[in-house]
Amino acid sequence: MKIPTLIVVALTGLASPALAGPPAALVEDVQGDVAGAELMDYVAPGQVIKLGPDGAVVMSYLKSCRRETVSGSGSVTVGPGESKVDGATLKSDIVNCDASHAQATTRETSEVAATIVRSLGPDSAPVAQAVIYGASPIVEAKGRGTLIVERLDQPGERQQVELSGRQFKGRFYDFAGTNHPLTPGGTYVASFGPSRLVFKVDAQAKAGPGPAVGRLIRLN
């Protein structure tokens, strides 16, 4: 799934439903008549999404890695790891994602990442805190600042992006919209302000769009 760059400005200013609790799933696609969720919204348990006859929504659960497509007239109630559907049609599968990273706090991951980077030596291999399953990550980095992605296991690969705050919904930067994928099998550190995360790109990862939950790096 590639976030459409041409509608970033328009969608960034739209209001999103307030979360009732910690996020359970990420909305990866919305089509037709859908009320209660927008593209790249986090949704929480108990939240209800209503669909019209032509409506469809795709969302992936952060903890269970369950990816659901709900379509047709009806409603879907978000659960902790899967949805309850009334009237609409639900299809689901399991995608590759790192559930442990999705549940960690930014403060926890940043402190550990700083320790990992400081302890690196010529004969030590970096220990990744998370794994992504696409070579073109989606980085959640809210607001303005410098996003840096640097390879740790081999020197020389470094990307720096100046974010203006106008990324999708003000927080999502998708490398699938660039010509700079990461190297499958590589270990990197991503930093944005005080937030850091050491992550590994799966050896079978492909460049370009794919399930967002499997490419997500949360720095907020």
Side-chain angles (χ1 to χ4, degrees), residues 3-11 168:
I3 298 174
T5 56
L6 294 180
I7 61 174
V8 169
V9 175
L11 289 182
F168 193 77

Side-chain angles (χ1 to χ4, degrees), residues 1-3 28 67 133-138 174-178 206-212 215:
M1 188 278 296
K2 178 179 176 182
I3 298 174
E28 297 199 21
R67 193 169 192 249
Y133 295 89
S136 302
I138 295 175
D174 192 349
F175 276 77
T178 74
K206 304 296 184 184
R215 302 188 288 128

Side-chain angles (χ1 to χ4, degrees), residues 14 32 54 58 62 70 111 126 141 146 175:
L14 295 178
D54 65 340
V58 178
L62 303 176
V70 184
E111 291 175 350
T146 302
F175 276 77

Side-chain angles (χ1 to χ4, degrees), residues 42-129:
Y42 286 114
V43 289
Q47 189 167 332
V48 177
I49 303 169
K50 296 183 178 181
L51 295 83
D54 65 340
V57 61
V58 178
M59 59 183 179
S60 293
Y61 278 85
L62 303 176
K63 190 172 182 180
S64 65
C65 300
R66 176 182 166 98
R67 193 169 192 249
E68 300 180 340
T69 301
V70 184
S71 58
S73 183
S75 66
V76 52
T77 301
V78 178
E82 62 180 291
S83 301
K84 180 180 179 181
V85 172
D86 183 11
T89 300
L90 182 149
K91 296 180 180 179
S92 67
D93 59 358
I94 301 296
V95 298
N96 290 322
C97 81
D98 191 332
S100 61
H101 168 50
Q103 300 301 308
T105 67
T106 302
R107 180 176 179 179
E108 291 170 345
T109 57
S110 298
E111 291 175 350
V112 174
T115 300
I116 293 172
V117 173
R118 283 196 303 266
S119 64
L120 282 178
D123 299 320
S124 61
V127 178
Q129 301 167 268

Side-chain angles (χ1 to χ4, degrees), residues 115-169:
T115 300
I116 293 172
V117 173
R118 283 196 303 266
S119 64
L120 282 178
D123 299 320
S124 61
V127 178
Q129 301 167 268
V131 179
I132 62 170
Y133 295 89
S136 302
I138 295 175
V139 181
E140 182 181 355
K142 186 177 181 180
R144 302 177 63 179
T146 302
L147 169 64
I148 298 173
V149 179
E150 186 171 9
R151 190 165 180 181
L152 296 178
D153 57 332
Q154 290 187 18
E157 186 179 338
R158 186 178 189 272
Q159 298 191 43
Q160 179 172 317
V161 183
E162 299 298 329
L163 300 182
S164 66
R166 296 168 71 87
Q167 54 269 31
F168 193 77
K169 285 189 175 290

